[in-house]
Amino acid sequence: MARHSPCIGICKLDDTTGFCLGCARTAAEIGDWMAMSEARRDSVWEQLPERLAQLSVRVRVLPWVRDELINWVRDTLVARQGAWVVGVPGAVAEFPSADNTPIDLHVEDGVITARRADAAFRIAINDKIRAFAFTDGGPIVLGLPRGRAAIQSGSALQAVGLDAGAIDETHRGDELFDLGIGRRYTRFCVRTRDETLTSALSDHDRRHWSDFMPVMLNQFVALSPHRIVESAAARIEIFSRIPGPGESSPNGAHTHFLAEFLKSGDEIAPSLAPPDYVGPVAIFYPNKT
């Protein structure tokens, strides 16, 4: 598969080095890219990290093509290298792999599915997904072009219907409710088959989360519905108990829904923001060493 371009949409040459301030290629390399052999492209890619460091560039796109991305995602889970996160500041789901909880892994046609007792994770890798790094050994953000990444969560609670996209068939008859965090690339939902909870959520239809969450908090804690956080390419389903007020998040897979951070309106933490043409779909946090 052809190696993709390192371009991140910042196309201006540095006067001192002659390198592009976005991708760190020279003007000649940019102009010749489409005609280059794969060996020559690989050679340029190998030189880019050193050039980017010289330019103090904050974000760099990684050279991985689809098959390499699939293998890398699989390896992060097999080797238990860290945690996968889907969400926005204040509303996230985390699928960890570093603990000793058994993980069942399945890879087929570019779709990686991982299951553990307290959660499930699925990500579909296509030719448009790119990986972005910020520091050596730090988090890696996966993203799609903004138009492809958009899924648009509403700004109010809304019944979605049956969860046809559930990772396991046993949950595809459960009711899904979008909590309405109002983000372009992520939605945060709860899933339940409990009639009492379904009725209570329906009673708050079209209300903003800041209105209904305080009222329903005790019910959420008592019933602990599944939390579903998804993007255009990834989905994490959390089955663990929801901690009550003052309790810590459980060890293992969990979600956060924190009003003070949600109010920022951010799609991703500013320190991990990919280039403007990209919508984030998942983040991998490697184990701390």
Side-chain angles (χ1 to χ4, degrees):
M1 185 177 292
R3 189 72 63 192
H4 61 76
S5 167
C7 180
I8 63 169
I10 301 172
C11 302
K12 182 179 180 181
L13 296 179
D14 177 62
D15 292 336
T16 301
T17 64
F19 299 143
C20 173
L21 292 171
C23 67
R25 290 177 295 174
T26 65
E29 289 166 346
I30 293 170
D32 294 343
W33 188 261
M34 296 304 294
M36 280 184 187
S37 67
E38 284 303 300
R40 177 62 179 138
R41 289 185 183 183
D42 287 344
S43 175
V44 173
W45 269 107
E46 289 172 1
Q47 299 174 62
L48 296 186
E50 182 177 345
R51 296 179 186 178
L52 289 165
Q54 184 178 347
L55 293 168
S56 299
V57 172
R58 184 187 67 85
V59 56
R60 60 188 175 96
V61 63
L62 298 175
W64 303 333
V65 294
R66 179 175 179 268
D67 288 347
E68 291 169 328
L69 267 173
I70 292 168
N71 291 336
W72 171 72
V73 173
R74 181 198 61 206
D75 290 347
T76 66
L77 296 161
V78 171
R80 297 180 175 271
Q81 295 173 351
W84 281 95
V85 169
V86 177
V88 301
V92 301
E94 178 178 332
F95 185 95
S97 65
D99 57 14
N100 293 322
T101 302
I103 295 176
D104 176 54
L105 187 64
H106 182 72
V107 182
E108 184 176 3
D109 295 332
V111 178
I112 301 101
T113 306
R115 298 174 176 86
R116 44 184 283 158
D118 54 2
F121 169 56
R122 181 178 65 210
I123 185 165
I125 304 296
N126 62 35
D127 292 337
K128 300 298 183 181
I129 287 188
R130 297 289 182 263
F132 297 89
F134 302 83
T135 58
D136 289 340
I140 292 178
V141 174
L142 299 188
L144 283 166
R146 294 179 67 174
R148 292 175 179 265
I151 61 171
Q152 195 67 45
S153 172
S155 57
L157 176 65
Q158 183 176 1
V160 177
L162 300 182
D163 187 13
I167 292 174
D168 292 310
E169 290 185 10
T170 54
H171 298 303
R172 292 176 188 168
D174 297 353
E175 296 286 342
L176 194 67
F177 290 84
D178 182 350
L179 297 189
I181 61 173
R183 296 301 193 274
R184 185 176 183 184
Y185 306 119
T186 306
R187 66 176 181 173
F188 192 114
C189 304
V190 294
R191 182 176 68 198
T192 184
R193 62 181 58 180
D194 184 278
E195 293 182 359
T196 302
L197 182 56
T198 297
S199 176
L201 286 164
S202 298
D203 288 343
H204 293 286
D205 187 54
R206 304 297 176 177
R207 294 183 65 186
H208 191 263
W209 59 264
S210 61
D211 294 328
F212 70 80
M213 285 296 285
V215 177
M216 295 200 62
L217 179 59
N218 289 338
Q219 199 165 9
F220 279 143
V221 170
L223 296 174
S224 288
H226 295 172
R227 282 81 72 206
I228 314 299
V229 186
E230 60 183 355
S231 68
R235 168 185 268 233
I236 295 179
E237 303 180 358
I238 302 295
F239 316 137
S240 58
R241 186 181 72 86
I242 296 176
E247 292 185 293
S248 300
S249 296
N251 294 326
H254 59 275
T255 52
H256 291 293
F257 197 95
L258 303 171
E260 61 268 32
F261 294 107
L262 265 177
K263 290 176 181 177
S264 72
D266 291 338
E267 297 282 354
I268 193 169
S271 62
L272 295 179
D276 288 343
Y277 69 88
V278 173
V281 296
I283 307 172
F284 176 70
Y285 288 90
N287 298 327
K288 294 180 180 179
T289 57

